[in-house]
Amino acid sequence: MSLALHIRADRLPLNAPFRISRGVKTHAEVVVAELADGSLLGQGECVPYARYDETVVSVTAQLAEAGRRLAAGEDLATVLASLPAGAARNALDCAAWDLEARRGRSVAARLGRAPPDAMPTAVTISLDSPAAMRAAALAVASAPLLKVKLGADDPAARLWAVAEAAPEARLIVDPNEGWTLPILQAMAEPISRLPVMMVEQPLPAGQDQGLEGLEYPVPICADESVHTADDVEQAAGRYQLVNVKLDKAGGLTEALAMVARARDLGLGVLAGCMVSSSLSIAPAMWVGASADAVDLDGPWWLIDDRPGGCRIEAGVLYPPQAGFWGEPGPRP
């Protein structure tokens, strides 16, 4: 029997605007792939990302073509391998993992690991005025880890505002490719005085040669510069960690390969995500379980998450209800 692939786009409203150096969003735009084998259904979710020339329309078209090939009887592994790393392959890959679990072989059984337990996650402080970022940090000051979105405009003032509002929290500084090398160097002094654990992708991908051999007060983590396991080796000379995101890698399969490659090269791992629902976060938690730090707060931004999904309380991410994703049996 051939597999049937059903595709839908969901527009999930956020509880507050999400601002980074590249722009602002008020909704999470996601695409869901539902892979059916008779009465069994596996689900995966992806976030098309404009930075990588993806849209809901383009990703839906990629998945629709994959669905036509599956309906014609083509092998799932072949169809997956033909998709480029990115959002569409992520949705189909995660749906395939979930379908295999529905057939009776859980993700835990396939990986030979216990299911992920609760884990601390970064809570993101969106880019805004120093006063607004201070207020946002104060509201989540009990969280152990905050990710601070910064741009080129007076980043030190914004970072200090967050640090003063949440003095017990460790910080991830994330300019989203928005800095130059002189800004990065100028920020070394305030960063050295604050509980910053890493700086994430300060320079644009493809323009990060200045990081080669750079001595800096804290580790620097690659995000946009590293998508798949093949990219990790080049990053090793410029970065100390890599941000592994399923939407960049093209699914859980490649994300796990990225983790293994990073470890082989002595690099740390940050488990990351896009702004998304728990259907994206449940598979990403398998990366988070073996990461050095976790940034999986996507559902925290949603007004309404998917029923039975993850929850985040005081900066701790709790797994979804039993059967939500990757396990045999009915969904909650």
Side-chain angles (χ1 to χ4, degrees):
M1 180 186 295
S2 60
L3 298 174
L5 181 61
H6 308 287
I7 310 153
R8 74 170 190 272
D10 291 340
R11 192 165 189 260
L12 310 174
L14 307 187
N15 52 41
F18 184 86
R19 293 185 182 87
I20 65 173
S21 61
R22 283 192 293 268
V24 60
K25 63 170 58 182
T26 58
H27 292 75
E29 306 278 358
V30 306
V31 176
V32 176
E34 296 183 330
L35 191 60
D37 181 7
S39 62
L40 300 175
L41 187 70
Q43 292 186 332
E45 178 186 280
C46 69
V47 181
Y49 204 49
R51 170 65 180 80
Y52 307 132
D53 299 319
E54 295 174 335
T55 65
V56 169
V57 172
S58 71
V59 167
T60 300
Q62 285 180 289
L63 287 170
E65 174 59 23
R68 284 190 286 271
R69 294 170 63 183
L70 291 170
E74 197 163 343
D75 179 70
L76 175 59
T78 301
V79 174
L80 275 166
S82 70
L83 287 168
R89 196 174 79 191
N90 176 32
L92 183 56
D93 182 74
C94 288
W97 279 86
D98 191 33
L99 178 60
E100 185 66 16
R102 303 298 157 186
R103 289 168 169 162
R105 192 175 177 215
S106 69
V107 175
R110 289 179 66 182
L111 295 180
R113 292 163 45 185
D117 203 348
M119 59 188 70
T121 180
V123 174
T124 302
I125 306 299
S126 183
L127 178 61
D128 210 321
S129 68
M133 293 179 73
R134 181 191 302 271
L138 187 61
V140 293
S142 61
L145 180 62
L146 300 180
K147 173 177 273 195
V148 187
K149 295 290 188 178
L150 296 175
D153 182 21
D154 203 359
R158 289 167 167 79
L159 182 58
W160 274 107
V162 171
E164 290 168 355
E168 301 302 317
R170 300 184 74 193
L171 308 175
I172 297 174
V173 169
D174 187 8
N176 286 105
E177 304 179 278
W179 286 358
T180 61
L181 187 58
I183 294 175
L184 177 64
Q185 291 168 329
M187 286 295 293
E189 194 275 334
I191 283 173
S192 69
R193 296 170 59 192
L194 294 171
V196 175
M197 69 178 299
M198 72 179 77
V199 175
E200 186 180 341
Q201 195 69 44
L203 308 182
Q207 302 176 36
D208 55 2
Q209 300 88 342
L211 299 179
E212 195 88 36
L214 179 70
E215 293 187 8
Y216 207 69
V218 299
I220 299 179
C221 178
D223 183 2
E224 288 84 352
S225 289
V226 174
H227 289 235
T228 67
D230 288 342
D231 302 325
V232 174
E233 188 161 354
Q234 181 179 346
R238 301 175 183 179
Y239 298 93
Q240 291 74 55
L241 303 99
V242 294
N243 187 336
V244 176
K245 293 178 179 175
L246 274 63
D247 276 306
K248 291 188 304 178
L252 179 59
T253 303
E254 183 66 19
L256 295 173
M258 288 184 69
V259 173
R261 187 65 180 133
R263 296 307 190 194
D264 287 345
L265 294 168
L267 297 177
V269 172
L270 171 66
C273 68
M274 308 299 188
V275 180
S276 58
S277 84
S278 285
L279 188 54
S280 287
I281 301 305
M285 288 188 75
W286 286 94
V287 176
S290 58
D292 299 286
V294 172
D295 177 27
L296 298 177
D297 70 338
W300 186 77
W301 288 88
L302 301 183
I303 291 176
D304 292 306
D305 192 12
R306 302 195 189 278
C310 308
R311 75 182 197 278
I312 298 174
E313 297 177 2
V316 177
L317 172 65
Y318 293 88
Q321 292 181 21
F324 180 83
W325 184 90
E327 299 175 17
R331 300 183 188 279

